[in-house]
Amino acid sequence: MKVKEIFNSDFAIYYEKVINRLTSPIQIDKWRKTLVKGAVALRPDAVTVVDCCSGAGNVGKFYLKENPRAVLINCDISRPLLGLAKENFATNQNVFCVCSDNRFFPIKDRSVDILFSSFCVRNSPEPLLTVEEAKRVIKKGGVWAILDFFKLERDDACTVANNFIFRFFMKLNGIVVPSYSEAINYLFESIENFYTAREFRKVLLKFGFTVVKLKEFMGGIASVLIAIKEEV
């Protein structure tokens, strides 16, 4: 599986310790805070929270600032990144880390108050299975908070400029570390083969979710969708 190989390689650590640390203070932490605050506004007293494709726990750290008493379960297919998450949450007794494919969550049916997924569904070999799993584990009235890069559906000046900056930065990493160029090319391919944010909103509706918030960043390159599970 290409995705599994990429995120269990040295590239996963490079992405977290170099790319993520460079971009988070500029852009991505803003996206994560929007994601977390949108979910907390709907379920302020959540008890069980799952962060699917948690990586090193970047979303979880913001969430626990809002609700430190919740049980947080970090799920990811990447053992290297989960290792970093365990280090980051070493002092938190209510945080757990589980190695898991995003198509098969080791979580009970209808047991989750909030499910976070950052840059997750797009990386699934079978995105609709991932959506089905989300529907299975989230309680009725529970929240699915999604952050991802989506396929662009417009080409206005803002979007074109931001897309150029985004691609240039990522390509530059492939030049600096040529061995990671394949993984970076995969990122671009995965976006082109994914849904637009509005197409994905329709997918969620078909699976019984109502999207109550759609927030675009960088002209639509990244989007946050906050959805409520309406069906049992």
Side-chain angles (χ1 to χ4, degrees):
M1 184 195 304
K2 189 173 184 179
V3 174
K4 185 175 181 179
E5 292 171 359
I6 288 172
F7 289 102
N8 279 283
S9 70
D10 291 342
F11 175 75
I13 300 299
Y14 176 83
Y15 192 95
E16 175 61 29
K17 292 193 172 183
V18 179
I19 297 176
N20 183 58
R21 289 189 182 180
L22 287 173
T23 57
S24 289
I26 300 170
Q27 284 282 3
I28 301 180
D29 278 350
K30 177 182 178 181
W31 307 348
R32 291 173 179 140
K33 289 176 182 178
T34 298
L35 183 78
V36 167
K37 289 186 179 298
V40 170
L42 295 171
R43 294 299 294 262
D45 300 318
V47 175
T48 303
V49 177
V50 173
D51 187 4
C52 179
C53 302
S54 65
N58 297 300
V59 168
K61 71 178 182 180
F62 288 123
Y63 179 75
L64 290 181
K65 289 179 180 179
E66 301 287 339
N67 185 6
R69 296 184 179 181
V71 173
L72 173 65
I73 303 170
N74 294 302
C75 295
D76 204 292
I77 202 169
S78 173
R79 292 187 182 276
L81 293 179
L82 279 179
L84 293 178
K86 289 179 180 179
E87 293 176 10
N88 292 335
F89 293 109
T91 60
N92 296 86
Q93 299 298 314
N94 55 328
V95 178
F96 303 90
C97 296
V98 179
C99 189
S100 169
D101 189 303
N102 62 16
R103 297 168 294 175
F104 313 104
F105 302 150
I107 306 291
K108 292 181 180 180
D109 294 0
R110 298 179 295 279
S111 63
V112 176
D113 295 297
I114 298 175
L115 176 69
F116 291 109
S117 61
S118 301
F119 312 111
C120 178
V121 184
R122 173 179 47 80
N123 285 317
S124 174
E126 299 171 283
L128 294 183
L129 273 184
T130 300
V131 177
E132 183 67 46
E133 274 293 87
K135 177 182 177 181
R136 179 182 68 80
V137 303
I138 298 173
K139 298 175 181 178
K140 182 179 181 181
V143 173
W144 189 7
I146 303 157
L147 166 62
D148 220 320
F149 295 123
F150 290 89
K151 185 176 181 179
L152 293 172
E153 57 182 332
R154 62 179 186 271
D155 56 358
D156 56 54
C158 176
T159 301
V160 171
N162 279 294
N163 193 37
F164 173 80
I165 294 169
F166 169 67
R167 287 178 173 269
F168 176 79
F169 173 76
M170 294 304 299
K171 287 287 187 181
L172 184 61
N173 282 275
I175 294 171
V176 173
V177 189
S179 60
Y180 296 151
S181 59
E182 182 180 357
I184 290 170
N185 288 336
Y186 159 76
L187 169 64
F188 298 133
E189 292 169 6
S190 69
I191 295 171
E192 289 302 315
N193 293 327
F194 197 43
Y195 301 96
T196 67
R198 284 166 179 75
E199 287 173 341
F200 192 63
R201 184 175 191 164
K202 292 178 181 178
V203 171
L204 293 175
L205 182 61
K206 290 180 180 179
F207 279 82
F209 291 94
T210 298
V211 175
V212 296
K213 181 173 184 176
L214 171 56
K215 175 70 173 179
E216 295 183 339
F217 300 95
M218 293 182 69
I221 292 172
S223 294
V224 163
L225 292 90
I226 308 293
I228 298 174
K229 179 182 170 183
E230 303 289 356
E231 295 184 358
V232 178

